[in-house]
């Protein structure tokens, strides 16, 4: 009746931005990400016939705000006729600030829920359920370099290269720790509704995916850097041009971009990506980590930096 699981956030290099089907939360296009190893979310799920309603404790505090989404996810895995559950979640990084906390949370939640419900589910089925709650969560079921393909009916997700095959480092520059003003889901719907760039964004997504996949398979850092930065800046252009506009960046985000550009001009193997928040993620070859971290630490407005290698997909933990 109780199970524990852990998942790591993932950082998209080719972004998921737009929904084909809002009800089923199906992405409008594919995406490609890296799963991290040193940031994590742990989830414990315990079903009990003594509970009248679901309960959620998030980082040691009761939380009712996230509860409806958690309950919906429990229903999708265990069915609506399930027992009520007590869910506890702990993360070692700030939530709701563009650090993909929902990805690791829902990936860990589906794994723990399925086990607590006594099921033997395969990874793709769980990824599909996690993705129906939060699109990016589907990718955190898998480790290393992960590609998500979207079709009319469903998603397919797979690891295209294991973490150890190309051990890149991600340096995260946190420029603001609060929750973001507009959720990514809401911002995507706005982009699709009225951004003049949305249709070209979707048209170009398959070509960007092919380019990134080939770069990963060939370990071609320059090509991965070029297509990832291009894809990130296109996604932000789509949302900047929507009405009302969505701008997640702050001045520190721009200072970090400039620092990365400066390192690139000096010949260092590093590139940036930015998600639905003001944090900048710099991806580099592992021997560049210290240099990249100190450059980002030196940018005005950076609150702190975090470093992570690439890691595994969601896993069950021994229950306490
Ligand atoms: C910018 O997965 O949070 O991080 O499906 O509405 O929950 P919902 O969206 P979410 O969006 C992630 C957007 C992104 C890009 C990405 O991770 O691919």
């Amino acid at each position: 009746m109780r199970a524990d699981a852990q998942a790591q956030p993932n950082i998209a290099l080719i972004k998921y931005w737009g929904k084909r089907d809002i009800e089923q939360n199906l992405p409008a296009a594919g995406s490609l990400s890296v799963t991290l190893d040193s940031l994590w979310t742990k989830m414990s799920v315990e079903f009990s016939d003594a509970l009248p309603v679901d309960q959620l404790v998030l980082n040691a505090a009761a939380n009712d705000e996230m509860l409806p989404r958690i309950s919906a996810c429990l229903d999708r895995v265990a069915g609506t006729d399930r027992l009520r559950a007590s869910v506890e979640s702990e993360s070692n990084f700030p939530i709701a600030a563009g650090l993909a906390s929902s990805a690791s949370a829902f990936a860990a939640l589906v794994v723990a829920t399925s086990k607590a419900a006594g099921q033997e589910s395969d990874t793709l089925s769980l990824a599909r359920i996690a993705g129906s709650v939060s699109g990016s969560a589907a990718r955190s079921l898998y480790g290393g370099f992960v590609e998500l393909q979207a079709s009319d009916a469903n998603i397919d997700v797979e690891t295209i290269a294991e973490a150890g095959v190309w051990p890149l480092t991600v340096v995260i520059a946190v420029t603001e720790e609060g929750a973001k003003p507009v959720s990514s889901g809401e911002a995507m719907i706005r982009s699709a509704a009225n951004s003049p760039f949305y249709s070209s964004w979707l048209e170009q997504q398959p070509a960007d995916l092919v380019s990134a996949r080939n770069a990963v398979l060939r370990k071609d850092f320059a090509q991965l850097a070029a297509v990832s930065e291009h894809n990130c800046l296109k996604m932000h252009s789509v949302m900047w041009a929507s009405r009302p506009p969505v701008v997640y960046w702050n001045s520190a985000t721009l200072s970090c971009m400039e620092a990365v550009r400066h390192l690139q001009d000096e010949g260092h193997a590093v590139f940036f990506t930015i998600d639905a928040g003001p944090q900048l993620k710099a991806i580099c070859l592992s021997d560049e980590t210290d240099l990249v971290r100190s450059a980002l630490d030196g940018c005005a407005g950076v609150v702190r930096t975090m470093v992570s290698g690439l890691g595994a997909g969601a896993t069950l933990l021994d229950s306490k």
Side-chain angles (χ1 to χ4, degrees):
M1 298 294 259
R2 169 174 174 154
D4 294 59
Q6 173 174 329
Q8 287 64 242
N10 68 78
I11 305 295
L13 304 182
I14 302 300
K15 308 293 187 185
Y16 149 49
W17 196 255
K19 298 171 196 270
R20 181 186 306 269
D21 182 324
I22 296 174
E23 279 288 289
Q24 296 188 60
N25 206 44
L26 276 175
S31 54
L32 190 148
S33 59
V34 287
T35 302
L36 304 184
D37 69 350
S38 61
L39 277 60
W40 48 255
T41 301
K42 292 179 184 170
M43 278 277 174
S44 96
V45 174
E46 185 165 17
F47 289 109
S48 162
D49 51 14
L51 287 172
V53 289
D54 292 330
Q55 293 175 352
L56 172 65
V57 173
L58 202 68
N59 289 332
N63 184 304
D64 286 340
E65 206 187 310
M66 289 279 288
L67 190 57
R69 243 174 138 196
I70 297 279
S71 294
C73 186
L74 293 167
D75 286 348
R76 283 181 201 187
V77 179
T80 46
D81 55 350
R82 64 180 171 83
L83 295 177
R84 300 301 101 186
S86 161
V87 177
E88 274 181 49
S89 166
E90 188 194 345
S91 292
N92 68 344
F93 62 97
I95 58 169
L99 285 179
S101 58
S102 66
S104 50
F106 290 111
L109 184 63
V110 293
V111 172
T113 305
S114 151
K115 177 74 177 174
Q119 302 169 351
E120 297 283 336
S121 306
D122 63 281
T123 307
L124 181 59
S125 309
L126 291 177
R128 286 176 170 165
I129 297 175
S132 74
V133 184
S134 185
S136 55
R139 299 186 308 242
S140 274
L141 269 294
Y142 295 81
F145 296 82
V146 179
E147 184 170 348
L148 183 152
Q149 306 260 15
S151 69
D152 279 342
N154 227 323
I155 55 164
D156 281 301
V157 198
E158 62 172 346
T159 292
I160 59 164
E162 298 290 347
V165 169
W166 198 17
L168 302 181
T169 303
V170 181
V171 182
I172 299 167
V174 177
T175 64
E176 223 171 272
E177 302 214 272
K180 53 194 168 206
V182 186
S183 74
S184 43
E186 160 64 27
M188 276 182 214
I189 291 168
R190 205 181 286 178
S191 294
N194 62 36
S195 174
F197 303 147
Y198 184 71
S199 56
S200 10
W201 157 256
L202 287 186
E203 268 161 37
Q204 293 177 22
Q205 202 66 354
D208 284 4
L209 264 177
V210 170
S211 171
R213 184 191 314 135
N214 288 339
V216 169
L217 298 178
R218 288 200 296 260
K219 298 195 208 172
D220 183 337
F221 192 87
Q223 185 174 324
L224 188 62
V227 70
S228 301
E229 287 192 357
H230 174 64
N231 192 266
C232 162
L233 294 173
K234 266 195 301 198
M235 177 186 77
H236 286 278
S237 309
V238 169
M239 56 180 113
W240 280 31
S242 69
R243 290 184 214 205
V246 181
V247 178
Y248 286 116
W249 302 358
N250 58 29
S251 55
T253 319
L254 281 162
S255 303
C256 291
M257 273 169 71
E258 221 170 282
V260 170
R261 285 271 176 265
H262 185 70
L263 290 172
Q264 289 172 335
D265 290 345
E266 289 177 342
H268 296 287
V270 57
F271 66 89
F272 67 81
T273 192
I274 305 158
D275 292 297
Q279 333 300 0
L280 178 135
K281 290 106 183 187
I283 293 92
C284 61
L285 293 181
S286 42
D287 55 0
E288 305 273 20
T289 307
D290 292 345
L291 187 78
V292 171
R293 186 174 203 176
S294 72
L296 294 177
D297 272 329
C299 291
V302 169
V303 183
R304 64 192 169 110
T305 53
M306 295 184 283
V307 171
S308 178
L310 307 191
T315 46
L316 278 170
L317 298 173
D318 289 336
S319 285
K320 291 162 218 157

